[in-house]
């Protein structure tokens, strides 16, 4: 079921927790072996790759696009459901620059990592969200490509529940490690919220 409104959220936290865990387990056991293997080696491969940081980031994004395809039957995520675009979205400077070029939005200068409390942007839409749809979908940052709600509704996407930290999250350990290494090894290192770069 897609695009479930807040009023339709299940009241049963424990039931939703078990359902989320079960759907993640189902996905992991059905995940194409090839995809799993490529996640295992991507960080190592990119360490030996002489291409630019931008090109390496593109390779990680491609892997995550395959994950996105594979994960669809197990998640509530779909076009028009944008609750996860109304909470903190941590991105790198490199990604912010790409968004600025594509969107032609002015980008604020952020020279140092910025940390916020988990609730800082709860309920505040990402500046790239237009009519509940991502306007920069093709170049959306890693954080947006790696967040899934393993459930049949958007139950876990409500900030109050999401912040409890009990929803089952997909850990693509290799892709995450590769992403962090690329960001931290570039001269544009550091993370901040997408709204720090684009304070609408
Ligand atoms: S960049 Fe797109 S997917 Fe990511 S939070 Fe913003 S609107 Fe949502």
């Amino acid at each position: 079921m897609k695009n479930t409104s807040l009023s339709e959220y299940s009241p049963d936290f424990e039931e939703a927790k078990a359902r989320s865990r079960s759907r993640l387990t189902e996905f992991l056991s059905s995940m194409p072996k090839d995809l799993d293997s490529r996640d295992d080696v991507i960080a190592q491969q990119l360490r030996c790759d002489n291409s630019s940081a931008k090109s390496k980031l593109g390779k990680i994004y491609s892997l995550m696009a395959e994950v996105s395809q594979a994960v669809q039957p197990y998640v509530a995520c779909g076009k028009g459901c944008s609750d996860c675009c109304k909470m903190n979205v941590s991105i790198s400077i490199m990604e912010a620059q790409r968004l600025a070029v594509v969107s032609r939005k002015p980008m604020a200068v952020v020279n140092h990592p910025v940390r916020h409390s988990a609730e800082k942007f709860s309920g505040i839409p990402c500046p790239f969200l237009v009519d509940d749809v991502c306007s920069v979908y093709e170049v959306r940052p890693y954080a947006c490509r790696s967040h899934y709600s393993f459930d049949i509704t958007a139950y876990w996407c409500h900030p109050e529940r999401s912040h409890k930290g009990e929803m089952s999250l997909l850990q693509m350990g290799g892709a995450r490690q590769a992403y962090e290494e690329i960001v931290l090894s570039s001269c544009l290192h550091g993370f901040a919220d997408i709204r720090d770069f684009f304070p609408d």
Side-chain angles (χ1 to χ4, degrees):
M1 189 190 302
K2 309 285 186 188
N3 310 336
T4 308
S5 70
L6 284 175
S7 60
E8 292 172 288
Y9 287 149
S10 161
D12 191 327
F13 184 77
E14 290 303 324
E15 186 185 309
K17 206 162 88 174
R19 191 170 57 230
S20 173
R21 199 181 305 128
S22 151
R23 290 175 78 84
L24 175 58
T25 305
E26 258 185 82
F27 167 66
L28 292 175
S29 59
S30 71
M31 185 168 164
K33 291 272 175 285
D34 173 54
L35 196 52
D36 199 16
S37 306
R38 279 186 286 138
D39 178 60
D40 284 344
V41 299
I42 191 166
Q44 178 64 35
Q45 279 180 341
L46 293 186
R47 271 177 226 134
C48 308
D49 187 326
N50 290 325
S51 61
S52 65
K54 188 177 157 193
S55 159
K56 291 182 189 181
L57 194 57
K59 289 171 186 171
I60 298 170
Y61 283 0
S62 294
L63 183 71
M64 294 309 288
E66 289 185 58
V67 173
S68 175
Q69 286 288 319
V71 89
Q72 279 308 312
Y74 306 92
V75 297
C77 315
K79 194 171 183 179
C81 182
S82 58
D83 284 357
C84 64
C85 306
K86 294 168 189 158
M87 50 183 89
N88 293 14
V89 181
S90 178
I91 70 170
S92 62
I93 296 175
M94 199 187 318
E95 290 172 306
Q97 288 187 333
R98 184 101 187 270
L99 287 170
V101 170
V102 171
S103 69
R104 299 189 182 168
K105 261 188 195 290
M107 177 183 154
V109 176
V110 180
N111 289 325
H112 54 279
V114 183
R115 283 177 183 269
H116 296 289
S117 66
E119 302 81 21
K120 171 78 179 173
F121 296 108
S122 292
I124 301 176
C126 166
F128 296 104
L129 190 64
V130 178
D131 295 333
D132 277 330
V133 174
C134 177
S135 62
V136 288
Y137 191 77
E138 294 305 320
V139 291
R140 69 199 188 285
Y142 180 85
C144 312
R145 296 168 191 264
S146 57
H147 185 90
Y148 295 104
S149 173
F150 282 84
D151 206 334
I152 52 174
T153 70
Y155 178 87
W156 293 104
C157 305
H158 189 279
E160 278 174 24
R161 297 189 187 109
S162 175
H163 294 153
K164 282 179 190 266
E166 298 201 50
M167 67 187 284
S168 294
L169 290 172
L170 178 63
Q171 308 287 343
M172 296 301 291
R176 178 79 213 177
Q177 186 180 348
Y179 169 71
E180 287 180 0
E181 285 182 11
I182 289 166
V183 172
L184 295 174
S185 65
S186 78
C187 55
L188 303 168
H189 60 275
F191 299 86
D193 193 89
I194 199 164
R195 299 159 191 87
D196 293 318
F197 294 109
F198 302 98
D200 230 10

